[in-house]
Amino acid sequence: MLILLPPSEGKTAPSAGEPVDPAALWLPKLATARRRVLGKLAAMSRRRSPRAVAESLEVLGLSAGQRGELERNAGLATAPAAPAAEVYSGVLYEALDVATLAPDARAWVTDRAVVFSGLWGVVRLTDRIPAYRCSAGVTLPGIGGLTPYWKSALTRHLPAAGPVLDLRSGAYAAMWAPGPQAVALRVLHERIVGGEPRRSVVSHFNKATKGRLVRALAEEGAAPGSVDELLTALRDLKYTVEEQPVAAGRPRQADVVVREL
């Protein structure tokens, strides 16, 4: 079983530790591709003219007040690295809270979770990385769009293994197609408006629920052998899961509904 996660925009920079080794990350065959992105990102971020800085901020989707992110990117090759579970610190990872899991549950999730990244392609939660700023939606000078760049590399090197729980969205979901033994999960927030139920995707609820969901599966030690068994495992954990119709040959899709109390 694989669990596909997005990274988080929020990251905690390690205060100490050896620098990242792209070949030591999961799927070492991606090392050359990783070094290429790392080199181009750092080179772009080191440019100092006002015009170049403005261009780099625009490429990365940053504001003028976030110029410090360029300084961080410029020094990635020598920056301290730590396990990805400690570096990614957004809402999903706060809810997952790998550090507080019991040893068996922690081993369960670190063996199954795969984080998609605009800089590294994919990493495991135990892989040591520095804090960085580079989303999969970036078009990097000298490389182009990172989503198609990584899609090409991952299609060659990332093995399909079912069942797959796909919790990615947007550009990260487009980086790799997991195959037929997968289900893409969306989280919907339901509230009553004028006496009628209304459902929508709310960013905070979406991310927090995905983190809690993975944590619950880890604590349960779930071992589904198929997508159907995976959806049953989620329902057994008291999640409201509604599978959605899809066209023949398309990946399966399901919604987890979180009802406002």
Side-chain angles (χ1 to χ4, degrees):
M1 177 182 178
L2 287 178
I3 300 172
L4 312 184
L5 299 176
S8 65
E9 186 173 288
K11 300 177 183 70
T12 298
S15 59
E18 292 297 314
V20 65
D21 177 359
L25 304 178
W26 189 55
L27 295 184
K29 289 182 179 180
L30 297 175
T32 299
R34 288 168 175 146
R35 290 191 182 100
R36 186 178 178 213
V37 177
L38 179 61
K40 297 294 186 183
L41 177 63
M44 181 189 75
S45 299
R46 281 194 295 266
R47 298 184 301 174
R48 289 292 180 262
S49 74
R51 179 177 178 179
V53 168
E55 290 174 349
S56 298
L57 291 172
E58 183 177 4
V59 166
L60 296 174
L62 302 173
S63 68
Q66 295 174 297
R67 183 170 176 171
E69 298 288 351
L70 297 182
E71 299 294 332
R72 176 180 289 177
N73 282 349
L76 284 175
T78 57
E86 299 174 14
V87 174
Y88 294 124
S89 53
V91 174
L92 187 156
Y93 293 90
E94 287 181 351
L96 175 54
D97 199 3
V98 171
T100 63
L101 286 168
D104 286 351
R106 191 181 310 128
W108 186 98
V109 73
T110 56
D111 284 347
R112 291 163 177 79
V114 177
V115 184
F116 282 69
S117 163
L119 176 53
W120 312 114
V122 287
V123 294
R124 293 288 201 180
L125 291 172
T126 51
D127 283 344
R128 296 178 62 263
I129 60 172
Y132 63 94
R133 192 61 173 260
C134 184
S135 72
V138 163
T139 298
L140 201 58
I143 289 181
L146 291 179
T147 298
Y149 176 85
W150 284 117
K151 183 176 182 178
S152 175
L154 293 174
T155 298
R156 295 194 304 272
H157 299 304
L158 180 55
V164 174
L165 177 60
D166 192 351
L167 301 178
R168 304 169 299 164
S169 59
Y172 295 102
M175 286 172 64
W176 182 69
Q181 291 300 314
V183 60
L185 209 63
R186 180 177 63 166
V187 175
L188 297 180
H189 180 223
E190 181 178 277
R191 59 195 181 99
I192 303 301
V193 179
E196 297 293 330
R198 301 280 181 86
R199 293 179 176 181
S200 61
V201 176
V202 180
S203 180
H204 180 86
F205 281 96
N206 174 55
K207 295 172 183 177
T209 299
K210 287 177 177 178
R212 288 193 292 266
L213 182 150
V214 175
R215 184 180 178 92
L217 287 170
E219 291 175 331
E220 187 69 16
S226 67
V227 170
D228 287 331
E229 291 180 7
L230 173 56
L231 296 178
T232 296
L234 292 174
R235 293 184 178 112
D236 288 344
L237 291 167
K238 308 306 180 185
Y239 284 95
T240 299
V241 181
E242 300 176 358
E243 190 162 5
Q244 302 302 314
V246 294
R250 300 287 295 175
R252 295 170 69 172
Q253 298 180 16
D255 293 335
V256 168
V257 181
V258 179
R259 294 186 171 91
E260 188 175 274
L261 299 178

